[in-house]
Amino acid sequence: MAASWIRWFSETSIDDVPIVGGKNASLGEMYRELAAEGVRIPNGFATTAAAYRHFLESTGLDRQIQGMLAELKPDDVSSLQRTGHAVRQAILSTELPGDLRTEISSAYERLCAEAGSETGLQLDVAVRSSATAEDLPDASFAGQQETYLNVQGVRPLLDTCRRCFASLFTDRAISYRNHKGFDQFQIALSIGVQRMVRSDLACSGVMFSLDTETGFRDAVLINAAYGLGENVVQGAVNPDEFVVFKPTLKSGFRPILQKRLGTKEWKMIYDIGGGRMTRNLPTPPEERARFALDDDEILLLAQWAGTIEDHYSRKRGVDSPMDIEWAKDGRTGELWIVQARPETVQSRKDLQIHEQFALAERGEVLARGRSVGERIGQGKVRLIADARHLSDFQPGEVLVADKTDPDWEPAMKKAAAIITNRGGRTCHAAIVSRELGLPAVVGTGNATERLQDGQPVTVSCAEGDEGRVYAGLLKFETSRIDLRSLPRPRTKIMMNVASPEEAFRLSFLPNDGVGLAREEFIISNSIRIHPQALLDYHQLADGEVKSEIDELTSGFTDKATFFVDKLAEGVATIAAAFYPKDVIVRLSDFKTNEYANLIGGRPYEPHEENPMLGFRGASRYYDPRYREAFGLECRALLKVRQEMGLANLKVMVPFCRTIDEGRKVLAEMARHGLVQGQDGLEVYVMCEIPSNVILADEFADLFDGFSIGSNDLTQLVLGVDRDSEIVAHVFDERNSAVKQMIASVIHMARAKGRKIGICGQAPSDYPEFAQFLVAQGIDSISLNPDSLVRTIPQIAEAEQK
C-alpha cells in the first residue's frame, strides 16, 4: 500500500513533531484534547515530513540544493542572499509529484465538504509552514517559514504548498539554523492547511501565558488589532495590549490588570478578486479609538491561555508557558485559537539570578516606545529603510527601522540594540530581541525621523514599560547577584513600590510583600487629571482643559470612570505582582500645590503658604471640597478587591492628625463599600506625626496596624522643613529624639498586639538604622528596591546579634 502523505488534525498529537512539525503537532493536540474544555480550534490537515522528502528525492532537488548550500558563507549577508534565492527558485520551478498533488487535493475537497462550502471547492484556508525542529522548548524558529492566508481553490493551494516548501530556505531560516547548530538537511517541512477564521471582518492577535518582559508567570499578555493577524505578528501596527491575572481568573474573578489602547494603524483584509490573497487598508479613526476586544472576550482568551498552558505543562511534566495566536470570526463573533507553541525565552531564564542595569547619568530623550527586555545598549544609529540595505549594517550599531521582519534576523544578531516605529511587545522585533538578549524599543512612532545615521545613542529598557532612546553614550551600571545566596531574616522584608510598570520585575526580589504602594505615582503618570475635574466634566468652562481631558479619556463616556479604572489597574498590577502576600496601598497624599498641577486642578485647590502642613492626607477625605473625589479612590480599591479578587490589598491612611479624623475617614470609606474587617480588609495608619506616637494606644484601638513614615516624622519632631536646602543638614532620622519616638511607638504597638512596620527612607539609606529597628522588635521593614539586596544581609546580621 502506498504511503499516505496526509495527517488530519484529529489523527495528530504533540508526539508527532517528527512527522508534522511543531506547529501542526500542536494544532492536532489541541484539536483532539482541548475541544472538550471549550477551546475552539479550526479543523485542518497536514502534509508529512515524509511528503517533503519524497518531493525532494523524487525530483532530484535534494542533490541540487546540497550543491548550492556547499558554496554558502553563512556570515556573509550577500552570500546568504544569493544562495537562498537560488534554492528557492529551484523549488518553485519544480512541480509536486503526482501522488502528493492527488492527496492534497482530496484532503482539501473533504475539508470543503465538511465546511459545507457554498462555493464548491473554493473554501478559504490558511496554509502554514511547520518545520520538524520548530517550536521546540529551546528554539522557537518563530517566523522562519511562511504562512499564507485566504488561499482558495485546488490549483492556488498546490502552488502555495510549493511556496511553503521553498520557505524552508528563506535567508533568515538558513541563517537561524546555522546559528542554532541545526543540520540544514535534518529538518523537514510539513504544511498545515486549516480553515480560515474570518478575522478580516473582526480582529486577531497574539497572547502569551506569561509576561514577556519579566517572565512573571501569573499573567496573560494579549495583543489585538483589527483584521488578519499578520500585522500584529510582523509588528506592522501598534496593537491594543491587555494583561490578565491568572490565579484569581481561575477563581471566577475578572482581573484585567491593564488595558492599553493601541493605534492599530492598518487592517489586513481579503483581497477579493485582486490577484493577491490579502491587502492592507488604513483602519478607520472610529475603530482605532476603541479597543478591538471587549472585557468578556479578553477574559475568555486569558482562560484559554491558562487551559492550553496547563495542558502542555501536564503533558511535558514541567511548567510550559505558551505563545498563542488567536482570531475572532467577524461573521459569527466566535473566538478561535489558530496556533500555539512553547515560549522559549523567559521560560528558560534562571529567575534567581538578579541582573540589573541602571543609568548613571541622564540625557536628552530622542524617542520613546515600549521597552523589550531590561537591558541598556548603546552605539551609533544605522537607519535601514528596507532589506536591500541590510548588508550596510555593521556589528555593534543600533538598528533603527520602521519595522523588522524575519528576513532581517542575520543583521539583528549583530546589533547593540533595536528601535522600531511600529509594533507591540509581541511583534517580530520584540520576539527576536528577547531571544538574542538585546534591548529594543518598539512602537516609537517616529524614531526613523528623530534619529540620524551615525548618531551615538543609548537605548534604555531598564526604566519600566517605557523604553527611552537618549542622545549620546551615557554611563550605566550593571549588577548581577544570585538571590539564593541571600539570608532570609526573621523580620519581614517588604518593598516600597511606586510604579506598576516595575512591579512584575520587582516581585522576583526576595520579599514579604509591599509595605508601601503609592497612589500618587499612578495618578500623576497614568491619570494626570484632577479627580474633581472629571466629576465636574460637563460643567467645566475651560475649553482647553476639556480638550486635554477628552484626549486622555478617549473611549470613556463617564469621565469619572476613567479615574476609577486607571487607578484600579495600577494598584491591581502591584497587588497581583506580589499576590498572595500583603500589599499595603497608601491613599493619595498629594499636597494642594501638587493637586493643583494636575489637569483641571487649579480651581479646586486653595493656595497654601506651607502645603506640607496643610490640606493633605486624612483631612481631605471627609472634607466637602474633596470627599466625592475621595469616593473615586475608594471605588477603585473596591474594584481591585471585589471584582479582581485581590484581597491581599490592604489600605493605609496617611497624615491622620487625630483620632476623630481617623473615625471620619473609616466612615467615609465604608460609605463607598470599603468596610474595615469585611472580607478581611485591614486598614493601617501612617505613623508620621508626633500625635500618632503620643496617642498610639488610641490609634491602635482604631486601626489594624502602623507604618512609620520616617521622613515626615523626622520633619515634625525636629521642626525641619524637609524641602529646605538651608536646614537640610539638620534633617537626620538617626537623631536621638526621632529614634526615641520610633522606639516608643514600636513598643506600644507590640503591647497592643498591632502590626508595625516602617516604610520611610531611613532603612534604605542607613543600614545602621535598619539594625536599630530590628533591636526594637519591629515586625517589618519596607525598603526601596535598589537597596533591598544590600540591606538584607545587614538585617540578618543584626538579628543574630
Side-chain angles (χ1 to χ4, degrees):
M1 181 178 174
S4 174
W5 309 125
I6 297 295
R7 288 283 289 268
W8 286 87
F9 289 171
S10 59
E11 304 167 335
T12 306
S13 77
I14 197 62
D15 299 323
D16 293 323
V17 172
I19 299 173
V20 295
K23 192 177 298 176
N24 290 331
S26 178
L27 283 169
E29 176 77 18
M30 292 189 295
Y31 186 84
R32 285 171 47 155
E33 303 293 336
L34 298 183
E37 298 189 46
V39 181
R40 284 190 287 266
I41 314 292
N43 193 17
F45 62 89
T47 65
T48 63
Y52 164 78
R53 294 192 173 100
H54 171 56
F55 170 45
L56 296 192
E57 291 167 5
S58 65
T59 59
L61 277 171
D62 52 349
R63 296 182 298 278
Q64 191 177 348
I65 293 170
Q66 279 180 329
M68 294 173 181
L69 291 177
E71 304 298 320
L72 172 68
K73 299 175 182 176
D75 294 325
D76 182 335
V77 173
S78 297
S79 172
L80 188 61
Q81 291 174 336
R82 285 194 307 273
T83 304
H85 177 74
V87 173
R88 293 192 298 275
Q89 284 303 115
I91 294 172
L92 290 172
S93 60
T94 304
E95 192 70 46
L96 297 176
D99 53 351
L100 180 55
R101 289 201 311 272
T102 299
E103 285 206 33
I104 293 172
S105 301
S106 298
Y108 177 66
E109 291 169 12
R110 175 178 154 186
L111 197 61
C112 291
E114 286 181 3
S117 176
E118 298 175 0
T119 54
L121 299 181
Q122 295 296 315
L123 177 70
D124 46 333
V125 291
V127 184
R128 306 181 188 278
S129 306
S130 179
T132 54
E134 187 176 50
D135 298 343
L136 301 178
D138 60 346
S140 72
F141 284 74
Q144 296 305 316
Q145 284 79 49
E146 298 291 358
T147 291
Y148 298 94
L149 305 178
N150 185 27
V151 178
Q152 300 177 7
V154 172
R155 185 70 250 177
L157 174 59
L158 294 172
D159 289 342
T160 304
C161 287
R162 197 163 42 184
R163 290 159 69 183
C164 282
F165 284 145
S167 77
L168 188 59
F169 293 95
T170 58
D171 301 350
R172 76 245 185 187
I174 296 170
S175 174
Y176 189 90
R177 289 193 293 270
N178 183 72
H179 177 70
K180 287 288 185 179
F182 284 91
D183 186 316
Q184 301 283 353
F185 284 91
Q186 288 302 308
I187 296 172
L189 191 104
S190 165
I191 299 167
V193 179
Q194 183 181 37
R195 285 184 59 184
M196 279 289 295
V197 176
R198 290 300 302 271
S199 58
D200 60 307
L201 304 175
C203 60
S204 57
V206 177
M207 61 180 174
F208 286 79
S209 64
L210 49 56
D211 178 63
T212 54
E213 301 318 308
T214 64
F216 181 71
R217 295 293 181 90
D218 284 339
V220 175
L221 171 71
I222 303 171
N223 277 179
Y226 295 111
L228 300 170
E230 291 303 289
N231 280 341
V232 176
V233 175
Q234 294 172 2
V237 296
N238 296 329
D240 295 338
E241 182 173 297
F242 313 103
V243 179
V244 182
F245 185 54
K246 287 189 289 192
T248 58
L249 176 68
K250 292 179 179 178
S251 300
F253 293 96
R254 299 174 62 85
I256 302 176
L257 302 181
Q258 295 174 25
K259 294 172 68 176
R260 298 175 186 268
L261 187 68
T263 49
K264 306 183 291 292
E265 304 89 337
W266 297 93
K267 177 196 295 192
M268 184 177 284
I269 65 168
Y270 279 15
D271 186 35
I272 304 297
R276 294 171 297 164
M277 291 177 283
T278 61
R279 63 190 175 110
N280 261 325
L281 291 179
T283 306
E286 63 274 12
E287 291 185 4
R288 294 179 62 179
R290 65 174 183 262
F291 290 114
L293 293 169
D294 64 30
D295 287 1
D296 288 341
E297 292 168 334
I298 295 165
L299 294 168
L300 178 59
L301 284 174
Q303 287 171 355
W304 286 357
T307 299
I308 293 168
E309 179 185 62
D310 289 346
H311 174 79
Y312 280 108
S313 297
R314 289 192 301 270
K315 191 86 175 179
R316 297 186 174 114
V318 63
D319 284 350
S320 297
M322 301 296 290
D323 169 356
I324 302 162
E325 292 182 29
W326 60 270
K328 179 181 177 181
D329 195 306
R331 299 167 302 182
T332 65
E334 292 178 325
L335 292 166
W336 297 81
I337 299 299
V338 295
Q339 276 195 56
R341 61 176 72 87
E343 194 277 342
T344 58
V345 179
Q346 294 293 353
S347 57
R348 295 181 59 78
K349 283 187 177 179
D350 184 349
L351 299 177
Q352 292 301 310
I353 301 297
H354 178 61
E355 189 176 43
Q356 192 163 358
F357 287 70
L359 286 172
E361 57 181 336
R362 301 284 169 173
E364 179 191 358
V365 178
L366 301 175
R368 303 172 189 266
R370 303 306 308 281
S371 64
V372 176
E374 298 165 3
R375 294 170 172 263
I376 296 173
Q378 51 189 204
K380 292 183 178 179
V381 165
R382 174 70 68 174
L383 292 167
I384 300 290
D386 57 55
R388 291 174 299 171
H389 299 99
L390 286 174
S391 58
D392 297 336
F393 191 81
Q394 300 301 311
E397 292 181 325
V398 174
L399 176 61
V400 181
D402 185 53
K403 68 181 183 72
T404 69
D405 64 41
D407 288 327
W408 295 47
E409 289 178 30
M412 294 170 77
K413 294 185 180 80
K414 306 175 187 177
I418 294 168
I419 305 166
T420 67
N421 290 342
R422 295 192 277 171
R425 289 203 290 164
T426 59
C427 73
H428 174 266
I431 290 172
V432 174
S433 296
R434 284 188 208 101
E435 191 164 328
L436 296 175
L438 297 175
V441 179
V442 300
T444 62
N446 60 358
T448 53
E449 299 170 17
R450 295 273 292 157
L451 305 176
Q452 299 177 350
D453 254 339
Q455 180 180 16
V457 296
T458 298
V459 180
S460 173
C461 295
E463 301 168 80
D465 271 4
E466 183 178 76
R468 296 168 187 162
V469 182
Y470 293 93
L473 304 180
L474 304 181
K475 294 178 183 176
F476 65 93
E477 300 167 347
T478 61
S479 61
R480 184 179 171 89
I481 186 169
D482 188 338
L483 298 177
R484 289 169 290 231
S485 66
L486 291 175
R488 292 307 302 264
R490 293 186 302 274
T491 307
K492 285 189 173 182
I493 304 301
M494 305 181 84
M495 263 192 281
N496 300 331
V497 178
S499 169
E501 296 176 350
E502 292 283 293
F504 288 169
R505 178 179 66 83
L506 296 176
S507 71
F508 294 114
L509 294 172
N511 70 85
D512 294 297
V514 175
L516 173 64
R518 301 182 183 93
E519 284 188 6
E520 296 84 45
F521 184 93
I522 301 167
I523 294 171
S524 60
N525 286 272
S526 297
I527 299 173
R528 297 169 51 196
I529 307 166
H530 195 287
Q532 197 63 48
L534 291 166
L535 286 165
D536 295 344
Y537 171 78
H538 294 293
Q539 287 76 49
L540 294 178
D542 189 327
E544 189 174 329
V545 167
K546 288 192 80 168
S547 294
E548 283 189 88
I549 291 175
D550 286 340
E551 184 176 348
L552 287 170
T553 61
S554 175
F556 286 84
T557 50
D558 178 6
K559 302 303 181 185
T561 301
F562 170 78
F563 185 96
V564 174
D565 287 357
K566 288 300 174 188
L567 181 56
E569 287 175 15
V571 169
T573 299
I574 299 173
F578 294 87
Y579 183 87
K581 301 170 188 170
D582 285 355
V583 170
I584 303 171
V585 62
R586 187 179 70 189
L587 298 167
S588 64
D589 193 25
F590 280 132
K591 288 72 177 174
T592 49
N593 58 322
E594 295 167 331
Y595 265 119
N597 287 331
L598 294 173
I599 294 169
R602 208 157 294 281
Y604 299 104
E605 297 298 329
H607 173 74
E608 294 183 298
E609 292 300 329
N610 191 349
M612 189 73 76
L613 297 179
F615 190 40
R616 62 174 286 201
S619 62
R620 295 183 71 96
Y621 307 149
Y622 59 85
D623 189 285
R625 284 170 287 195
Y626 190 76
R627 68 190 303 228
E628 291 309 312
F630 177 63
L632 300 183
E633 292 184 41
C634 293
R635 282 173 54 192
L637 300 183
L638 192 66
K639 179 176 181 177
V640 173
R641 286 179 56 84
Q642 289 192 352
E643 184 176 318
M644 302 189 191
L646 293 162
N648 60 321
L649 184 73
K650 317 295 182 185
V651 178
M652 185 154 62
V653 180
F655 223 75
C656 185
R657 297 174 171 96
T658 69
I659 299 297
D660 184 55
E661 270 202 328
R663 292 195 184 98
K664 288 180 178 177
V665 171
L666 290 174
E668 200 65 31
M669 288 171 58
R671 187 167 77 90
H672 295 285
L674 281 176
V675 181
Q676 185 181 24
Q678 187 171 299
D679 297 324
L681 175 61
E682 294 180 353
V683 183
Y684 295 76
V685 66
M686 290 288 292
C687 179
E688 53 191 342
I689 305 169
S691 63
N692 301 142
V693 179
I694 296 165
L695 300 177
D697 58 338
E698 295 183 54
F699 277 103
D701 290 335
L702 194 62
F703 293 100
D704 297 294
F706 299 85
S707 185
I708 300 165
S710 57
N711 295 346
D712 270 334
L713 187 61
T714 302
Q715 172 178 245
L716 295 172
V717 168
L718 298 179
V720 175
D721 180 354
R722 61 187 173 108
D723 287 341
S724 170
E725 71 280 359
I726 300 172
V727 292
H729 63 284
V730 180
F731 186 95
D732 191 340
E733 298 96 325
R734 296 167 295 178
N735 182 281
S736 294
V738 179
K739 291 173 75 174
Q740 283 186 39
M741 295 289 276
I742 290 174
S744 172
V745 74
I746 292 174
H747 297 154
M748 178 59 71
R750 291 177 67 83
K752 297 284 285 191
R754 293 303 194 198
K755 297 175 184 176
I756 185 160
I758 187 168
C759 61
Q761 183 72 25
S764 296
D765 289 345
Y766 309 117
E768 68 273 22
F769 194 86
Q771 294 169 350
F772 156 74
L773 294 168
V774 169
Q776 301 307 311
I778 199 163
D779 292 318
S780 64
I781 298 176
S782 195
L783 299 164
N784 292 337
D786 58 0
S787 65
L788 189 91
V789 171
R790 74 166 184 269
T791 308
I792 284 177
Q794 294 159 343
I795 293 173
E797 182 183 346
E799 288 178 347
Q800 291 188 355
K801 289 181 180 178

